[in-house]
Structures are given as structure tokens and as C-alpha cells.
Amino acid sequence: MGRIAVIGAGMGAMAAAARLAVAGHRVTVYERTETYGGGVRRFERDGFAFDTGPGLLPLPAVYRDLFVKTGKEPLEDCVELVQVDPSARHVFADGTEVSLPNASRAGVVAALDEALGAGAGQRWGDFLVRAREAWDRTRRPLLEEPLWPNWQVLAEREPYPSVPHKKLLRTRRASTLYEIGAWELRDERLAALLNSHAIAYGLDPRDTPASAAVLPYLEHAFGIWYVRGGIRELARAVYERCVKRRVEFVFGAEVTGILAKDDRAVGVELADGEVVDADHVVAGVDPVRLNTLTQWTGWQLDADGDVRADATVARPGRFSVLLALRGGRETGAVHRTVVHAPDDQTELDLLTAPGGDRPVRPTVTVLRPGDPALGPDENHESVVLSAVLSTEADWERESTALTYTDFLLEAAEAAVPGLRERLLWHETRVPEQVTDAQGFGEISAPALAAGRGRFLHPANTTRLPGLYRVGDWSHPGGGLPHAGMSGALVAGLIVEGPEFRGSQ
């Protein structure tokens, strides 16, 4: 078996490393920071702990499969998974509120009818049926298989079905997520509910293909989960599984170049000058850094013909406020509350524009795990507020961060009773700080069909044989489940070769 050099210790990279080690390869992971997990990080202060990356886990089956395939201990023996119910409470701009049960279409329909009026739930339920059709059409090529060589088929074909209208002599096909909300859901609150699933990934619903309907469907169909102790515990469990499979980790080791010989990747060079030979190189880094690592070998991985996100356009990032509160979480409190923006059009402009002289409150997600492991005792609570904003805003100006901190605190008061009086202290994390700590502060969205290929990600294989991409910035895109899937695909391509077509 071969020697594998893995660049980065993110979730996708570790998922690939564990699978490759089980297949008999000698795997070494080189991580330039001093810890594992990539964007799955934790901040601790005064006995409080906070997830500073993802706070919830959709589609845990991806990590269950990883643990089944790499050892005798199942995932649930290594972490405690808790189904979040209700999955979310939504507070809309007009003050209407609704709590949606987890993984229950009938329950969601009933809750929406009661909160938004008769017929609202049925329209959402009908939408989920169409979203399932889009999911069934795209699941395998977008999630379970390496990216097709003829990926243009995915780029041109819209999998979301047309909707017939009784008063028209033709069907009308929504081409964007925003049009689904306007034409099919016909309620500003339902549209806001739909759009929030795209905004969470930094996508503007106005130009995001209708195929993004799979994002809310995935959550409604498979549920949303929390890992007791925080999502960082999932990263710990994956890291420990790698170590048990004899994966070697070298922390504080920055890879500065990828070595090539006879038109093939043959190793990596470290910042201290050390050269490491390898039969395969797996890169769990963003596309900009990967290009830097390969340019001097003569390989331009972002040249015309590669499927890639446009690296010249800055994508949004996550702005977070970490709250240390006195007093425990009240009985009946909801784990996740989404407080929607009062002005959806201006909010969408903020995803790609700095915000100018007229910043507005964005959609804010409030996470209140109520987890004793995250506070000093039962009489205190840790809460995470987050919003998706442009990485090009002037975050170096103190007033910019202060403005948005106030916006998030204002929104959080709808979710946390007596918030201001309970606040001991808060920490702010702006997108640029994420970039400095983790290498890439932008949010990567899952791969989506249609949209002329702009929402696909680079293939796991590259033009340089022996070099593979893994993680959020490769096929099948961003998010915890998708990172885990990329690890499975890369391992399959190395173990079984280029003819590998995914799990059957």
C-alpha cells in the first residue's frame, strides 16, 4: 500500500485519512495550526465554551457510515447525538412566530397552518414534495459519486419540477429559489423560511437555482441533531478514530509546496524545508491556497475547464457573537431560533456588498444548547448568535463590528428573555478573524445542480495525477455532511482507482 500525505486536518481530510488508513495506506496529516477540525472550533473562557463553527449536525448518517467503515465502535459509542426538537423556532418580520417539529412533514404542515393561516402549511408541504423530486434526481451525482466528466449535464438541467397553474395554459418553471417563494409559496413568511436555508450558506436566493430546494428538504427529511458537549466533540471523535487507525498527525507543519515529477504528485515540501515523499497527496485546503501550492510545479489547477467556484468573487462569511449569561436556560426554551430580517432585499444585498452607509439587521440565528458541558454550572448559559455577512465589509473599523453586534443582540432578545440583564460578557468573531484562524473565512455552500455550473465545486481529482481535493471547497461542497462525503469519495478514488463510482 502507498504513502499518503494529507494537507490540513479539517473534517473532510480526517474522514479521508481514516478510510485510507483502514485500507492499509500509511497516512500522515500535516496541519499548519496546533489542532484538528478545520472550521469546527471551540472558544473557552471563564468556564464557558462555545462552538465557533457549525452548531448543529444535519444528516448524521454520513458520520455513522464513517465510523462503521473504520472500526467496531459506532458513532453513538463515541459521541452522544441528540435530536433537536423543535428543529427551529422562526420569528418573522411581522412578529409572527412558529416552531417547526423535527423531521415531521405532517407536524410542520400543521404548525404552519396554525401560525400563518389555513393553506400555508399545505403550500409548504406541496413544496417539500417537489423538493424531494429534485433531491431524488440529484442525490447520487451530487453527493454519492465523483463529479461526472460531463458535468455540464448537471449544470444545464434544472431538477426542480415545473408547477402547473389552473388559470394558465402552460406550466411555469421557477428558475431560482426566490421565484419559488414568490410564485409557489405566495406568503412572505414562507418565502423568508425558504430563503433562510440558502442565506445560511451565503447564497443569494435571487440568483440561486431552484435546485437549492434540496437544502430545506434535507433538514425536514433527515432531521437536525446536536452533539452533546458541542460539535467540537464530533471533531474530537473523528480525530481519535484516525489515531486509532494509526494515522500520524504533525501539527504546526505548514505545507508550502506540492512536489511533482513526471507529471505526477510525488510529495510535499514543508515550511522548514523538509521534503516528504508520497504516492498520493490529499489537499484539504481552499482553492486559492491550493493554487499557490501547485503553481510553481507548472500546474494551474484553476485553468479553464476545471469546475470551480469563482475564486475572484468574495463569498460571505459568518459573523458571530458569543454570550456568557447568568442564569440557566428556562424550561421549554428552544435550542435554535431564527429571527428573520425586517428588510429581506437589503439583507440579500449585504451578502456580497459591504453594506455602505445603511447597514440593516440581518437574519440572526440564536443557538441555546442548554448543555451543562458548555457552562461553569447550571446557573449560567452559553449562547451563540450568528449572521451571514459580506467578508468585504470594513471589519477593521470598530464601529462596523459594534453596529452588527447591536443588531444581533437586538434580534436575540426575541429568543432569550431578559438578555441584557443576564449578560456577563460577550466575544465577537468577525469573518476576517475566522480567516486568520482557519485559513478561509468564507462560507462554502453544498454543490447544486443547474445555475450554469456556478454552484458546482472542483472535482476531487485534479489535472495533476496523484493530487486530490477534499473538504468544503471540493465536490460535493460545504457543510459537515458534505465534507464527510468528500472524504469517502477521495478514499474511494485512491483505493479503487479512477473507475470508482461511489457507494452502491
Side-chain angles (χ1 to χ4, degrees):
M1 291 295 180
R3 298 162 298 177
I4 313 290
V6 179
I7 307 172
M11 298 299 285
M14 290 196 295
R19 291 175 182 269
L20 288 166
V22 167
H25 293 281
R26 301 197 305 276
V27 184
T28 304
V29 177
Y30 298 93
E31 169 56 48
R32 63 179 175 178
T33 72
E34 298 299 329
T35 190
Y36 52 83
V40 182
R41 296 294 181 93
R42 173 179 288 163
F43 174 77
E44 298 181 358
R45 174 183 161 186
D46 300 340
F48 292 88
F50 308 84
D51 281 323
T52 57
L56 295 172
L57 175 65
L59 206 60
V62 172
Y63 289 92
R64 289 188 177 116
D65 180 71
L66 171 64
F67 277 71
V68 166
K69 300 290 177 56
T70 59
K72 296 180 180 180
E73 290 179 297
L75 176 62
E76 279 82 350
D77 282 359
C78 302
V79 297
E80 182 182 353
L81 290 178
V82 181
Q83 193 168 24
V84 177
D85 199 12
S87 66
R89 169 178 167 242
H90 290 265
V91 181
F92 298 105
D94 66 354
T96 307
E97 300 182 14
V98 62
S99 292
L100 302 180
N102 199 347
S104 170
R105 179 179 176 275
V108 167
V109 168
L112 289 172
D113 272 340
E114 181 178 353
L116 308 187
Q122 188 59 51
R123 289 196 299 278
W124 184 260
D126 291 344
F127 156 72
L128 289 179
V129 172
R130 294 187 291 274
R132 177 177 180 173
E133 187 172 337
W135 168 262
D136 289 341
R137 290 173 176 175
T138 61
R139 179 187 63 203
R140 185 157 183 80
L142 284 184
L143 300 181
E144 299 175 359
E145 298 179 342
L147 190 67
W148 291 348
N150 62 332
W151 57 264
Q152 291 86 351
V153 175
L154 295 172
E156 297 167 359
R157 184 178 301 168
E158 175 54 72
Y160 185 79
S162 301
V163 179
H165 293 263
K166 295 180 180 179
K167 295 183 179 180
L168 299 177
L169 297 178
R170 59 181 177 82
T171 60
R172 179 164 61 175
R173 177 185 291 273
S175 61
T176 67
L177 205 65
Y178 197 82
E179 289 173 345
I180 292 176
W183 297 354
E184 300 174 19
L185 299 179
R186 303 190 306 280
D187 184 301
E188 290 184 356
R189 297 161 298 184
L190 289 179
L193 173 60
L194 172 63
N195 293 341
S196 66
H197 289 273
I199 292 171
Y201 286 106
L203 299 173
D204 186 338
R206 296 172 298 190
D207 65 7
T208 298
S211 64
V214 300
L215 299 178
Y217 172 77
L218 186 149
E219 181 173 314
H220 283 295
F222 304 107
I224 198 80
W225 302 76
Y226 173 69
V227 179
R228 187 74 69 188
I231 296 297
R232 177 67 178 174
E233 285 298 292
L234 177 64
R236 174 197 56 76
V238 175
Y239 167 73
E240 291 180 354
R241 176 55 53 92
C242 287
V243 172
K244 287 183 178 179
R245 300 285 80 82
R246 299 185 179 179
V247 174
E248 181 182 357
F249 285 81
V250 184
F251 294 107
E254 181 174 4
V255 173
T256 55
I258 294 172
L259 306 176
K261 182 179 180 181
D262 298 329
D263 292 336
R264 181 178 177 82
V266 294
V268 298
E269 182 174 353
L270 305 181
D272 62 4
E274 180 183 358
V275 172
V276 179
D277 295 331
D279 298 291
H280 302 276
V281 177
V282 177
V285 299
D286 65 79
V288 174
R289 185 177 172 212
L290 183 57
N291 262 335
T292 301
L293 297 178
T294 56
Q295 277 178 351
W296 65 277
T297 70
W299 289 87
Q300 288 285 105
L301 296 185
D302 68 347
D304 291 342
D306 266 345
V307 180
R308 64 188 180 96
D310 191 344
T312 65
V313 178
R315 289 188 45 77
R318 184 176 291 106
F319 177 86
S320 301
V321 181
L322 317 178
L323 307 180
L325 305 181
R326 61 172 61 88
R329 192 177 76 157
E330 70 277 8
T331 302
V334 175
H335 188 128
R336 175 174 59 162
T337 299
V338 180
V339 184
H340 293 267
D343 182 346
D344 67 326
Q345 294 294 324
T346 306
E347 178 193 27
L348 296 181
D349 292 339
L350 288 177
L351 292 176
T352 54
D357 298 326
R358 187 173 166 263
V360 298
R361 179 173 68 74
T363 293
V364 176
T365 298
V366 182
L367 294 182
R368 305 181 63 192
D371 187 343
L374 302 183
D377 53 50
E378 62 182 9
N379 295 318
H380 293 84
E381 181 184 7
S382 68
V383 176
V384 176
L385 318 179
S386 63
V388 178
L389 296 168
S390 170
T391 53
E392 295 189 323
D394 188 2
W395 295 113
E396 292 185 359
R397 291 178 55 187
E398 184 179 358
S399 60
T400 303
L402 288 174
T403 295
Y404 283 105
T405 297
D406 286 340
F407 280 146
L408 267 62
L409 288 172
E410 173 192 337
E413 290 180 314
V416 185
L419 172 63
R420 302 277 183 174
E421 292 74 24
R422 296 179 58 194
L423 184 60
L424 291 171
W425 50 261
H426 71 272
E427 290 271 352
T428 299
R429 292 289 181 270
V430 304
E432 284 191 347
Q433 289 175 324
V434 175
T435 303
D436 292 340
Q438 298 161 5
F440 216 51
E442 300 171 353
I443 298 173
S444 177
L448 300 172
R452 300 184 300 280
R454 291 190 300 119
F455 299 87
L456 296 174
H457 290 260
N460 304 110
T461 54
T462 71
R463 294 182 175 196
L464 178 60
L467 174 62
Y468 301 83
R469 300 181 180 97
V470 73
D472 282 359
W473 300 98
S474 65
H475 179 74
L480 281 172
H482 296 74
M485 294 173 194
S486 76
L489 292 175
V490 167
L493 287 165
I494 292 175
V495 173
E496 299 187 28
E499 300 305 313
F500 172 70
R501 288 295 175 265
S503 57
Q504 300 296 323

